Amino acid sequence: MLVKRIIFVFLVFLLSFSTYAQKDSLNIKVKKTQITTDLYNPLSPSKAAFYSAIFPGGGQIYNKKYWKAPIVWGAIGASAYYYITNSNDYDRFRTAFRLRSQGLKDEFTDDNGNQIISTSGLENAQKVLRKNRDLSLLTGVLLYVLQIVEASVNAHLLQFETNDNLTINPSLTTDPMFQEAPRVGLTFKYSF
């Protein structure tokens, strides 16, 4: 017990002194280097996703992939066009079905009272048009989300250096041991 106390006091005694080291006689000056963030911007993917969410195609423009923006606009515009067309046609057939069920003249009945489309045809048209309208809406939403994800992923990938030295060279090799029944293998060699 006494030995432990002596060791403890000795350690406290040693640690209480200030230590001094030699001064550097060479006095080397270190140049300050400035880190540029042109190559790596950690907020770039979130900005691209934000711009795409606010304005479809905005993230692609932010990533300087200008040719992708008209594709995004065309895809979302086509789904919006089909949604509106199917919705308007659905409303037409639904109105005609309601008028016919009340015994009134509808759009699909001629002046002589002949039905151009039967009542069951009006019901089937409503089902098909409602399904197409909903699929157009779902397609539009999926394309909207997909263009946001594409802009974010593209912004991530732009931060990696890619050049022509990154290659994959597939080659076919034969087994020289089996001449009569050749075996073929596939080899991938990549270099970077």
Side-chain angles (χ1 to χ4, degrees):
M1 188 73 163
L2 182 64
V3 175
K4 287 183 181 180
R5 284 187 184 177
I6 292 174
I7 293 174
F8 177 74
V9 170
F10 182 73
L11 286 176
V12 170
F13 179 74
L14 282 179
L15 293 176
S16 66
F17 287 110
S18 299
T19 57
Y20 295 99
Q22 296 177 351
K23 292 185 180 182
D24 188 12
S25 63
L26 295 177
N27 196 9
I28 299 174
K29 292 183 179 179
V30 179
K31 292 181 181 178
K32 293 183 179 180
T33 58
Q34 185 177 11
I35 298 172
T36 60
T37 58
D38 293 340
L39 296 177
Y40 179 70
N41 183 0
L43 297 179
S44 179
S46 62
K47 279 185 182 179
F50 176 74
Y51 291 147
S52 283
I54 297 298
F55 178 69
Q60 285 75 14
I61 293 171
Y62 174 76
N63 290 335
K64 295 184 175 83
K65 302 288 183 175
Y66 303 110
W67 62 274
K68 290 182 181 180
I71 295 171
V72 169
W73 298 331
I76 293 178
S79 64
Y81 169 77
Y82 285 114
Y83 175 80
I84 292 169
T85 302
N86 288 322
S87 181
N88 290 340
D89 289 344
Y90 171 76
D91 290 341
R92 281 181 49 218
F93 281 94
R94 184 164 174 81
T95 302
F97 178 75
R98 285 184 174 177
L99 289 173
R100 190 173 290 175
S101 62
Q102 293 174 359
L104 301 172
K105 184 179 176 207
D106 59 81
E107 173 183 355
F108 301 105
T109 305
D110 62 4
D111 294 335
N112 298 333
N114 297 329
Q115 296 178 351
I116 300 170
I117 299 176
S118 66
T119 306
S120 64
L122 290 175
E123 286 179 309
N124 288 336
Q126 286 180 60
K127 289 178 187 176
V128 170
L129 290 168
R130 182 176 49 234
K131 178 182 168 188
N132 289 344
R133 181 194 64 188
D134 295 344
L135 284 175
S136 297
L137 179 64
L138 180 64
T139 303
V141 169
L142 287 176
L143 287 171
Y144 177 75
V145 170
L146 183 66
Q147 64 95 23
I148 293 172
V149 170
E150 190 276 332
S152 177
V153 168
N154 194 358
H156 274 292
L157 293 178
L158 286 176
Q159 297 177 9
F160 290 101
E161 182 180 349
T162 58
N163 56 24
D164 293 336
N165 293 335
L166 299 173
T167 58
I168 294 179
N169 296 324
S171 62
L172 293 173
T173 57
T174 59
D175 191 359
M177 298 298 286
F178 297 99
Q179 294 292 334
E180 56 277 345
R183 293 183 183 175
V184 178
L186 185 62
T187 304
F188 283 104
K189 295 180 182 179
Y190 60 91
S191 60
F192 52 93

